[in-house]
Amino acid sequence: PPWIAVEPIYGLILPQKSLSIDIKLIVDSPTARILNTVGEIDSCLIVHLEYGLDHFLGISGRFLPTCFARSFDSLATFPKPIREHGYLESMPQSRAASIPKEFMRVIDWLMSHRLTEDSGQLFQTAAPSELLNTITECLDTGKEFPLEQSVSWSATEVTLAFGEILLRFFQALPHPIVPPSIFPANFEASLENRAEFLELLPPVAVNVWVTLLAFLQFACLQSGESSSSNDEAERIAAVFAPVLIGDTDGPYDGSMPTPLQKREFIKRLLLA
């Protein structure tokens, strides 16, 4: 299975010698999307020895469900923290929340713990993995973030980590919230009449889009002068455009947005 990595794949064992084999379980976003629904990890590795016996290694476990690698529509159907639900227990879409609570927890933290300095590091600086895991665990379980008076990480490190978590939400989505098919061909007109553009998105996606854009506009203003705000908008648009607006699965036919068009579209919205 794709979530198992074995190194080395093959090798030579001399008489009276041994060879170590490293087995790693790697859960990336595509794998997490699958395991979020089934939960169980169950597989078998076969170690084949030429002119010898085959050895069978069973690998099994339980995958703890996470709020990442789910669509926002799906996440909004869970009224409690994702870890408290079964893998398929959710409410019908008609009773879903207007916006996922996990997404809003991240936005609320970033709004109330803004960077007074080094704002240009937001979404650019990698955070310590232990800190990211702590935030993720709190989002999955509903626990409070134990970071207000942290002695392990500075306030700047924590805020930058929340910025990375926000970006990961969109990187891990099964599909970007803006499909390439509805990207406005004339985005100049779309900037003037955003309601038409938003009407093409599902309700939860609209709320996420509006909330995210409002925060990103706020982040651009933290740089101070208008020229700096323009640079911040350029930087943030370059980060978020690829994960907000999807690409076509087939060959490029000229009708789909280019990376430059995506970036320009997001930048213009941030400066609107």
Side-chain angles (χ1 to χ4, degrees):
W3 43 270
I4 296 179
V6 180
E7 183 67 31
I9 295 296
Y10 59 87
L12 176 66
I13 305 177
L14 297 175
Q16 306 302 317
K17 299 295 183 179
S18 62
L19 177 66
S20 296
I21 299 177
D22 292 330
I23 301 175
K24 296 180 180 179
L25 304 187
I26 303 174
V27 180
D28 55 10
S29 294
T31 304
R33 293 166 200 154
I34 299 173
L35 296 179
N36 260 335
T37 59
V38 298
E40 298 297 328
I41 296 175
D42 190 10
S43 188
C44 181
L45 293 182
I46 302 176
V47 180
H48 174 71
L49 296 178
E50 194 72 25
Y51 307 115
L53 296 176
D54 289 344
H55 297 266
F56 298 86
L57 303 178
I59 297 177
S60 62
R62 183 173 177 82
F63 179 78
L64 295 177
T66 178
C67 59
F68 291 89
R70 297 177 183 270
S71 69
F72 286 121
D73 281 342
S74 170
L75 196 57
T77 63
F78 292 89
K80 296 180 180 179
I82 199 73
R83 199 69 62 78
E84 294 184 20
H85 289 270
Y87 291 91
L88 299 177
E89 294 178 2
S90 61
M91 298 188 303
Q93 288 288 345
S94 59
R95 297 174 54 196
S98 60
I99 194 168
K101 57 190 175 304
E102 294 85 357
F103 171 76
M104 283 308 305
R105 290 185 69 188
V106 176
I107 291 291
D108 289 343
W109 181 283
L110 288 168
M111 291 291 289
S112 58
H113 298 79
R114 64 185 182 89
L115 292 174
T116 55
E117 298 179 358
D118 303 321
S119 60
Q121 295 184 31
L122 192 62
F123 311 124
Q124 299 283 359
T125 303
S129 58
E130 184 180 354
L131 177 54
L132 294 173
N133 291 339
T134 297
I135 298 173
T136 300
E137 183 71 9
C138 291
L139 292 173
D140 289 340
T141 61
K143 295 179 180 178
E144 295 297 322
F145 299 120
L147 302 170
E148 289 287 0
Q149 304 296 329
S150 174
V151 296
S152 301
W153 302 289
S154 67
T156 296
E157 286 179 313
V158 172
T159 299
L160 292 176
F162 271 91
E164 186 170 345
I165 289 289
L166 178 63
L167 184 58
R168 287 188 177 191
F169 261 123
F170 294 92
Q171 291 173 331
L173 287 176
H175 305 285
I177 62 174
V178 180
S181 58
I182 70 170
F183 182 82
N186 185 351
F187 69 82
E188 290 284 352
S190 180
L191 288 171
E192 297 297 326
N193 190 358
R194 296 177 217 175
E196 276 187 21
F197 169 63
L198 294 178
E199 285 175 358
L200 300 174
L201 299 178
V204 173
V206 170
N207 295 331
V208 169
W209 175 271
V210 171
T211 302
L212 176 68
L213 264 292
F215 166 70
L216 295 181
Q217 287 174 330
F218 171 80
C220 290
L221 295 176
Q222 301 312 300
S223 59
E225 300 177 0
S226 58
S227 59
S228 298
S229 297
N230 185 77
D231 293 341
E232 276 294 275
E234 181 76 40
R235 181 183 68 82
I236 291 175
V239 172
F240 276 90
V243 298
L244 290 179
I245 305 173
D247 289 316
T248 179
D249 294 330
Y252 180 73
D253 61 2
S255 64
M256 296 295 105
T258 66
L260 183 60
Q261 286 175 318
K262 295 180 188 180
R263 189 163 66 244
E264 184 65 17
F265 179 68
I266 299 298
K267 178 185 174 182
R268 295 288 296 276
L269 288 176
L270 294 179
L271 294 175

